């Protein structure tokens, strides 16, 4: 088994992983990811206690317990470029021996639960509702940098790319499914399923216009017209496909739960965004500790 070089596995002087500033003992196997660092204490205010609190840059982590269940909450910042850092370094914390710099033979499986905000592109999805990403399609290209065929939904990819015909625009989507056990764990009549599009930006890559003209002017309407096994593309955000892809490649499980704060088809934006996110946080925490097996 090869030894990871110092430029590959980068450690800080205290032995913590480079970007996240965490030691292996600082995290547990259930990990909630949020984008905004200020959302971490929005989650952990419901904890029984918090015993780890560390941060660097946009990566802020708290580990504690909720109703006796150990949970780590970490902010990722925005975009799959940050997801690449967070998912790889969290995996290294549990599956690489930092002393020998070798990958462990016995692997630890992590559960990633994303609590995020999102905009719907279907007019019948209400603002302030909850949506679970059954599958995610990535337009930002992250998984194209990895040997990732085994993690991807090739049929969904082929049908989507054939339908869109955006290869001339240098846009080729990849697709990854969520973990079925976690789908069951977090499902209820309060949440709907969807296919989530993960974009490389917030403005042009999501069809928004301020002073610049998007290259694909019908981006959202074209996506909204596609269906796969009777499931439409429902919403846009910037992390889920990367989380699903890297989690699956590492042998972990992942689910993305979205608070729908905007509806791009109707032009609406939530008047109760903070409350909607808080409600999704409470929903997620209660599902984590529920007796339903995952």
């Amino acid at each position: 088994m090869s030894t990871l070089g110092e430029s590959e596995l980068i450690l800080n002087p205290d032995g913590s992983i480079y970007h996240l500033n965490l030691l292996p003992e600082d995290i547990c196997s259930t990990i909630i990811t949020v984008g905004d660092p200020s959302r971490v204490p929005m989650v952990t205010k419901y904890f029984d206690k918090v015993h780890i609190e560390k941060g660097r840059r946009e990566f802020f982590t708290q580990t504690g317990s909720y109703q006796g269940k150990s949970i780590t909450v970490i902010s990722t910042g925005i975009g799959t470029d940050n997801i690449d850092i967070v998912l790889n370094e969290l995996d290294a914390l549990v599956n690489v021996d930092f002393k020998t710099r070798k990958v462990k033979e016995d692997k630890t499986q992590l559960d990633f639960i994303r609590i995020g905000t999102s905009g719907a592109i279907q007019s019948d999805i209400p603002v302030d509702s909850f949506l679970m990403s059954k599958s995610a399609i990535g337009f930002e290209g992250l998984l194209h940098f990895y040997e990732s065929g085994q993690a991807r939904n090739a049929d969904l990819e082929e049908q989507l790319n054939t339908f869109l015909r955006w290869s001339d625009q240098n846009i080729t989507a990849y697709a990854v499914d969520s973990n079925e056990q976690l789908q069951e764990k977090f499902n209820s009549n309060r949440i709907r399923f969807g296919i989530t599009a993960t974009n490389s930006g917030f403005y042009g890559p999501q069809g928004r216009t301020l002073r610049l003209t998007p290259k694909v002017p019908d981006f959202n309407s074209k996506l909204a017209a596609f269906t796969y096994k009777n499931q439409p593309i429902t919403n846009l955000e910037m992390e889920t496909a990367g989380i699903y892809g890297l989690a699956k490649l590492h042998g972990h499980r992942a689910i993305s739960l979205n608070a729908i704060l905007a509806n791009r088809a109707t032009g609406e934006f939530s008047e109760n965004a903070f409350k909607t996110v808080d409600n999704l946080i409470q929903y997620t925490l209660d599902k984590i500790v529920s007796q339903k097996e995952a």
Side-chain angles (χ1 to χ4, degrees), residues 63-79:
T63 295
S65 61
Y66 175 74
Q67 296 186 16
K69 171 73 173 178
S70 295
I71 302 172
T72 293
V73 186
I74 185 169
S75 61
T76 64
I78 298 174

Side-chain angles (χ1 to χ4, degrees), residues 18-288:
Y18 184 56
H19 296 93
L20 303 187
N21 194 35
L22 296 173
L23 297 165
E25 59 265 29
D26 292 336
I27 67 169
C28 57
S29 61
T30 298
I31 299 175
I32 293 174
T33 71
V34 296
D36 186 348
S38 68
R39 198 173 295 153
V40 173
M42 286 179 63
V43 178
T44 60
K45 71 181 181 182
Y46 293 109
F47 280 19
D48 311 319
K49 61 179 179 180
V50 172
H51 58 266
I52 294 292
E53 183 172 324
K54 292 185 176 181
R56 174 173 291 171
R57 302 185 186 185
E58 59 266 65
F59 309 119
F60 180 51
T61 303
Q62 290 185 330
T63 295
S65 61
Y66 175 74
Q67 296 186 16
K69 171 73 173 178
S70 295
I71 302 172
T72 293
V73 186
I74 185 169
S75 61
T76 64
I78 298 174
T80 57
D81 50 350
N82 281 356
I83 294 301
D84 186 58
I85 291 170
V86 173
L87 269 288
N88 275 292
E89 292 196 0
L90 287 173
D91 176 77
L93 285 167
V94 296
N95 289 319
V96 175
D97 187 320
F98 285 7
K99 293 181 179 179
T100 65
R101 292 182 166 271
K102 296 181 185 294
V103 176
K104 298 177 182 178
E105 292 188 7
D106 296 326
K107 305 296 190 301
T108 296
Q109 184 181 70
L110 302 173
D111 283 348
F112 294 102
I113 302 104
R114 173 185 176 269
I115 300 176
T117 58
S118 187
I121 60 172
Q122 302 290 342
S123 60
D124 62 343
I125 298 177
V127 167
D128 299 317
S129 62
F130 300 161
L131 187 143
M132 180 191 300
S133 304
K134 187 173 183 180
S135 301
I137 52 178
F139 289 105
E140 62 348 293
L142 176 60
L143 252 63
H144 297 315
F145 290 90
Y146 293 95
E147 294 291 342
S148 57
Q150 70 274 26
R152 288 153 56 177
N153 183 332
D155 184 51
L156 172 53
E157 283 184 18
E158 181 179 2
Q159 291 194 38
L160 176 66
N161 287 313
T162 298
F163 175 83
L164 295 176
R165 299 188 182 280
W166 286 346
S167 59
D168 291 345
Q169 311 288 353
N170 297 316
I171 300 173
T172 303
Y174 65 87
V176 190
D177 298 328
S178 62
N179 180 269
E180 292 184 358
Q181 289 78 28
L182 292 184
Q183 283 183 33
E184 179 64 24
K185 175 80 171 177
F186 289 91
N187 191 22
S188 78
N189 59 9
R190 291 190 62 191
I191 198 162
R192 63 184 66 211
F193 285 121
I195 298 176
T196 295
T198 296
N199 307 81
S200 59
F202 185 78
Y203 289 96
Q206 293 189 31
R208 284 185 173 90
T209 301
L210 295 182
R211 290 193 341 107
L212 301 179
T213 302
K215 194 173 183 181
V216 185
D218 60 344
F219 188 88
N220 289 347
S221 59
K222 187 77 169 180
L223 288 181
F226 175 79
T227 59
Y228 177 72
K229 296 183 178 179
N230 298 316
Q231 175 68 68
I233 297 173
T234 49
N235 61 305
L236 309 176
E237 51 74 80
M238 296 176 62
E239 290 87 35
T240 296
I243 293 172
Y244 282 6
L246 294 184
K248 189 164 288 190
L249 287 173
H250 281 119
H252 304 308
R253 308 192 303 178
I255 198 74
S256 178
L257 307 177
N258 303 270
I260 301 298
L261 299 187
N263 189 300
R264 300 291 302 285
T266 64
E268 296 174 272
F269 191 84
S270 173
E271 296 180 358
N272 303 290
F274 182 90
K275 182 62 176 175
T276 298
V277 173
D278 187 60
N279 287 341
L280 182 57
I281 288 169
Q282 293 181 66
Y283 176 91
T284 303
L285 290 173
D286 289 341
K287 284 293 185 179
I288 287 174

